[in-house]
Amino acid sequence: MKNLWKASAIALAATLAACGGETSANGGAATGSVEADTSRNWVEVVTKTEEGGFQMGNPDAPINIVEFASMTCGHCATFAEESFDPLTENYISQGLVSFEVRNFVRDPLDLSAALLSRCRGAEPFFPLNERLFANQEAMFETIQGADQAQLQALATPEALQSGRTFVGFAEAAGLIDLVGSLGVSDQQARQCLADTAAIQELEEMRNRALNQHNITGTPSFLINGELASGVSSWAQLDARLQEMVQ
């Protein structure tokens, strides 16, 4: 991942504040009638999609939402904090909405956090994702206090090829200890952070977002397969959803 391993600690610090963007389409409308389906607890239905994201909810829901998210994006952390309860309670649990998160990695720290959120597969993904976003400010403070020369050394092709890059960033940001409290053992975390197939999957997911959907900022949303313009916060997405379920 040349765009990631060339990042210096200075570039990383600048990246931490750079997220958000506006999309150019209106988002797809729901097709047919929009009716609730409470035949099961859809919040507990979490699967990995063919595109590599993790989806919560009724796979046949009339409204399908995909969020492209970065673990180092402050707007994404705010969206996660504001959206989870109302999204799950008012829409996903009712069978009206399926919600998928696809990682849009932007830097080595982002990729390290993404690897850990995905480390144990589908079922624990959303709790890990939410906890990592809730820890974002502490993560930034911790890594900004780390040895900057060491971080620069980790962001090199040699470090990446040796498998040290993402383990090193996760250690420097305190993420291995954090996910340890959520059921990811130290050994499992380190294995996930060095998993070349998982790293490649995240790179491919980013490339598809760029090439197929023209994603330029995070968070960005697909609604029924189309980019949604003017939607970068929970309030904006909620307003769009309310229009669609009426």
Side-chain angles (χ1 to χ4, degrees):
M1 303 183 72
K2 294 181 180 179
N3 59 321
L4 296 180
W5 71 45
K6 289 183 178 179
S8 66
I10 295 174
L12 173 61
T15 301
L16 298 182
C19 64
E22 187 156 325
T23 56
S24 58
N26 291 324
T31 57
S33 61
V34 179
E35 298 180 358
D37 175 1
T38 56
S39 60
R40 63 182 298 183
N41 185 357
W42 294 112
V43 176
E44 295 180 351
V45 178
V46 181
T47 57
K48 187 173 183 180
T49 68
E50 292 182 359
E51 292 76 12
F54 289 99
Q55 180 186 73
M56 177 191 294
N58 178 4
D60 296 319
I63 302 171
N64 172 260
I65 299 171
V66 175
E67 177 193 7
F68 295 94
S70 161
M71 302 302 295
T72 55
C73 169
H75 296 300
C76 297
T78 299
F79 176 82
E81 178 183 6
E82 295 177 349
S83 69
F84 189 79
D85 288 343
L87 181 59
T88 54
E89 293 171 9
N90 299 336
Y91 298 103
I92 296 175
S93 68
Q94 302 302 304
L96 296 169
V97 167
S98 66
F99 180 73
E100 178 184 350
V101 174
R102 297 181 195 171
N103 294 95
F104 186 80
V105 293
R106 307 179 305 148
D107 55 73
L109 179 58
D110 186 359
L111 197 146
S112 301
L115 287 169
L116 292 173
S117 72
R118 299 164 61 86
C119 188
R120 294 180 58 211
E123 184 177 351
F125 170 77
F126 282 96
L128 282 166
N129 192 61
E130 295 303 305
R131 186 66 186 89
L132 284 159
F133 271 130
N135 183 69
Q136 188 186 82
E137 184 175 347
M139 175 180 72
F140 289 165
E141 291 177 356
T142 301
I143 201 164
Q144 286 167 359
D147 186 312
Q148 299 303 299
Q150 182 181 23
L151 293 181
Q152 290 185 34
L154 289 171
T156 63
E158 293 77 18
L160 184 69
Q161 291 167 6
S162 72
R164 292 185 291 111
T165 294
F166 305 116
V167 173
F169 271 94
E171 287 177 333
L175 297 182
I176 294 178
D177 290 340
L178 175 70
V179 297
S181 67
L182 297 170
V184 182
S185 70
D186 183 273
Q187 180 181 5
Q188 187 176 26
R190 293 175 186 278
Q191 288 175 341
C192 289
L193 289 161
D195 186 338
T196 55
I199 295 166
Q200 179 68 24
E201 184 177 35
L202 285 167
E203 180 179 17
E204 291 172 355
M205 196 183 311
R206 173 187 169 86
N207 289 338
R208 284 195 300 272
L210 289 167
N211 298 327
Q212 296 180 11
H213 302 294
N214 195 31
I215 299 301
T216 58
T218 55
S220 290
F221 300 91
L222 301 181
I223 301 178
N224 288 348
E226 297 182 12
L227 280 173
S229 67
V231 176
S232 60
S233 69
W234 167 241
Q236 292 164 339
L237 181 59
D238 189 28
R240 188 68 58 85
L241 290 175
Q242 290 183 42
E243 293 175 356
M244 297 177 74
V245 301
Q246 287 178 353

